[in-house]
Amino acid sequence: MTTSKQVVPVVIIGKGTIGKLFGKVIEETTRNEYVVNYITRADSAEERSDKLKNAAIIMLAVKPKDLDGVLDEEVKEYAQERATICSFVAGVDSSAYAQKLGESARLVRVMPNTTTEVELGFASITRTLGAEPEDVQSIKEVLSSATTLVDLEESKVDEFTAVAGCAPAYFLRFAKVLQSAAEDLGIGAEDATTFVANTMIGVGLMVQGSPDEHKSIEQLINEVASEGGATEKAIQSLDSSDFNAVIKNAITSAYQHLKS
Ligand SMILES: NC(=O)c1ccc[n+]([C@@H]2O[C@H](COP(=O)([O-])OP(=O)(O)OC[C@H]3O[C@@H](n4cnc5c(N)ncnc54)[C@H](OP(=O)(O)O)[C@@H]3O)[C@@H](O)[C@H]2O)c1
């Protein structure tokens, strides 16, 4: 006799970039184990409470400004006590949830980035308030096919968000400059996009290395910037414009915003 495993009901509140992205990966990779239901603004109060009442895992994927309303009006009222709450919301620490839901809320904070879309995400995971190690484990199980997860203490989550959560935009801003420089040289838009995509993927794979060979980022730069060559001149120009400080200042701005 075969015993069928129970399907775990997951509710995602907010179907924007992050909510949709995780919902899609969970549905595609863990079919038959989890069933994903979204709560959007289009749902009636009754639909919202019905979905929440049945949820074993509630994922919060709304903007920080909308969080209070969601916690006050719904999660507090309808969520079962045994539900694990997984919040993707940046810049709001567990003390704010404790005020709304009480110290016993089983809150796990996950700070993702959008590379989850291609199953290359890198996210932090943090156990807070009344969450048990099993709650963290259950979130790891549901998200592990979508993203790499690293355990992180809560005091470091904002710093992590400023570096890793925002990182796709940092890379993409740089990519956009290269793409437009290629176009300025007369390379067609499609080819310029291919050039940028191939280079980013290729560089990523080179940084990752292989079991046989692993080179540091510095080594990889030196392989392109041979002495006396054009790349060396370009790197010197970046240095004289204080490129490192520009990037670090951007990260600091993001961090200060999260802390404010
Ligand atoms: N995007 C990232 O790269 C990233 C990275 C790390 C963490 N995060 C965090 O992830 C969270 C979501 O970000 P996002 O980029 O996905 O934002 P988003 O695209 O704006 O999505 C948020 C969604 O929540 C919906 N929403 C707001 N209030 C709602 C309510 N009461 N009921 C149901 N739906 C509601 C919004 O609907 P409306 O549009 O109608 O308001 C919107 O569809 C944020 O807290 C952010 O800090 C994002």
Side-chain angles (χ1 to χ4, degrees):
M1 193 178 77
T2 53
T3 50
S4 58
K5 210 177 155 192
Q6 270 215 318
V7 176
V8 179
V10 177
V11 163
I12 303 180
I13 308 181
K15 199 178 179 183
T17 304
I18 292 294
K20 209 167 11 176
L21 213 157
F22 274 95
K24 185 168 166 261
V25 180
I26 295 166
E27 277 171 337
E28 283 174 1
T29 55
T30 61
R31 218 180 289 272
N32 304 329
E33 287 175 67
Y34 300 91
V35 59
V36 176
N37 263 304
Y38 294 96
I39 291 183
T40 69
R41 288 199 197 269
D43 285 313
S44 67
E46 202 183 344
E47 286 168 327
R48 299 171 83 99
S49 73
D50 280 350
K51 288 177 189 173
L52 275 175
K53 275 177 195 157
N54 293 321
I57 295 174
I58 298 168
M59 296 188 170
L60 302 174
V62 297
K63 291 277 190 210
K65 69 176 175 56
D66 295 315
L67 182 65
D68 275 2
V70 165
L71 295 179
D72 275 339
E73 291 155 29
E74 312 184 308
V75 178
K76 186 174 180 179
E77 188 146 358
Y78 301 113
Q80 327 166 28
E81 235 167 62
R82 64 170 189 82
T84 305
I85 297 167
C86 168
S87 177
F88 298 115
V89 179
V92 181
D93 73 18
S94 58
S95 61
Y97 295 83
Q99 276 180 16
K100 303 282 178 190
L101 307 175
E103 294 283 343
S104 61
R106 298 163 70 157
L107 177 70
V108 177
R109 291 184 64 196
V110 171
M111 213 35 63
N113 74 28
T114 51
T115 54
T116 303
E117 187 168 347
V118 288
E119 293 167 42
L120 284 172
F122 187 79
S124 64
I125 184 162
T126 306
R127 177 163 75 95
T128 76
L129 303 180
E132 301 288 343
E134 305 85 73
D135 293 304
V136 174
Q137 196 45 41
S138 73
I139 299 300
K140 282 185 175 173
E141 274 164 27
V142 67
L143 297 183
S144 61
S145 57
T147 185
T148 297
L149 288 155
V150 287
D151 292 296
L152 194 71
E153 58 193 77
E154 192 169 27
S155 61
K156 301 237 174 82
V157 171
D158 289 337
E159 284 170 65
F160 179 87
T161 308
V163 177
C166 306
Y170 304 153
F171 279 98
L172 290 165
R173 236 345 250 279
F174 190 71
K176 203 173 161 206
V177 177
L178 281 182
Q179 183 190 41
S180 96
E183 282 188 49
D184 289 348
L185 293 170
I187 293 167
E190 208 174 303
D191 286 339
T193 304
T194 305
F195 144 67
V196 164
N198 284 5
T199 308
M200 284 208 288
I201 295 165
V203 165
L205 292 172
M206 287 157 80
V207 170
Q208 192 176 49
S210 68
D212 304 331
E213 186 167 32
H214 184 269
K215 294 177 184 170
S216 70
I217 292 180
E218 197 58 41
Q219 244 178 312
L220 291 166
I221 292 174
N222 289 338
E223 284 180 3
V224 191
S226 48
E227 213 180 320
T231 313
E232 189 189 57
K233 284 277 172 270
I235 300 285
Q236 283 166 358
S237 169
L238 287 178
D239 287 341
S240 64
S241 311
D242 227 345
F243 181 71
N244 292 9
V246 168
I247 304 296
K248 284 189 175 153
N249 288 342
I251 294 170
T252 304
S253 296
Y255 175 70
Q256 284 167 347
H257 175 76
L258 290 161
K259 279 284 175 213
S260 65

